[in-house]
Amino acid sequence: METWRPPRLRGNPLTRDSDRRERLALLVAVTVVVLTAPFAALLGDRVHQWQERLAVSQQDTRTAVTATLLADAPPPAGYPESGTARVEAEWPLPGGGTATGEVTAQRGAVAGDAAPIWIDENGAPAAPPVTAETAVVNGVTTGALSWAAVMGLCGLGFWLYRRMLDRRRRDDWSDAWDRFDSRHTPF
């Protein structure tokens, strides 16, 4: 009684060595892609944790204040009429007093307008703190893109290897025809 095996794994006498190599290369590529999924998820989780710690740190060290523009911002350019520009402004410091410097304001704003900004513990303008939502998005994006990179590299490697095998098969086929032709021509 013959045991059942999947059709692609049966010992076909017409299967070439290059076909077996191609099948093995595909199996290796798929295995690498599957086995790297947990590592990509772990990398995404680590980035998420790091971003969460950064968010907590920045929430503790950054303060939202309202700056007062000391000069007019350039007029809006282009369509739609929007955009931002760097403008000289003054803002209050958490410990008292004021600071001056350039802040980002909407184009078309005039001197005396208010511009919301974030400042660090030294009173210098800073980027808004990282949020918990941003931490999640950055973690998921990092994990997904790292896994996609592995899939792309494995796919590219398999494609290049298959092209090399196809070229070798074409050359073998051509050589076989040349040998057949030289044995069966009357000339």
Side-chain angles (χ1 to χ4, degrees):
M1 177 176 203
E2 185 178 331
T3 60
W4 182 86
R5 285 188 289 176
R8 294 192 55 99
L9 299 179
R10 289 188 188 131
N12 186 337
L14 299 178
T15 302
R16 301 168 289 194
D17 187 47
S18 62
D19 296 332
R20 289 183 192 91
R21 287 187 195 154
E22 181 179 336
R23 211 174 315 146
L24 179 63
L26 179 61
L27 179 65
V28 167
V30 169
T31 303
V32 167
V33 167
V34 169
L35 291 179
T36 56
F39 293 106
L42 181 64
L43 177 63
D45 182 54
R46 298 291 180 185
V47 168
H48 172 250
Q49 290 174 6
W50 168 66
Q51 290 278 298
E52 276 189 331
R53 286 191 303 273
L54 182 63
V56 168
S57 165
Q58 287 182 349
Q59 292 289 342
D60 292 341
T61 60
R62 298 200 178 165
T63 307
V65 296
T66 302
T68 304
L69 301 182
L70 299 175
D72 293 343
Y79 183 82
E81 294 182 357
S82 64
T84 58
R86 303 290 291 168
V87 181
E88 190 72 21
E90 179 180 62
W91 59 89
L93 296 174
T98 60
T100 59
E102 284 192 341
V103 298
T104 303
Q106 290 295 320
R107 287 183 168 271
V110 295
D113 283 354
I117 64 168
W118 286 88
I119 58 172
D120 61 16
E121 63 271 4
N122 299 321
V130 174
T131 63
E133 293 81 17
T134 303
V136 170
V137 169
N138 290 344
V140 169
T141 302
T142 300
L145 288 179
S146 63
W147 195 46
V150 169
M151 287 190 294
L153 288 173
C154 286
L156 177 65
F158 176 72
W159 180 75
L160 290 172
Y161 186 68
R162 187 171 180 187
R163 284 192 52 127
M164 181 197 67
L165 289 175
D166 286 344
R167 190 174 331 119
R168 186 174 294 160
R169 287 187 275 240
R170 272 193 311 272
D171 292 345
D172 290 347
W173 185 252
S174 178
D175 292 345
W177 271 112
D178 289 343
R179 283 192 308 273
F180 176 78
D181 195 35
S182 67
R183 284 185 276 164
H184 292 87
T185 57
F187 304 105

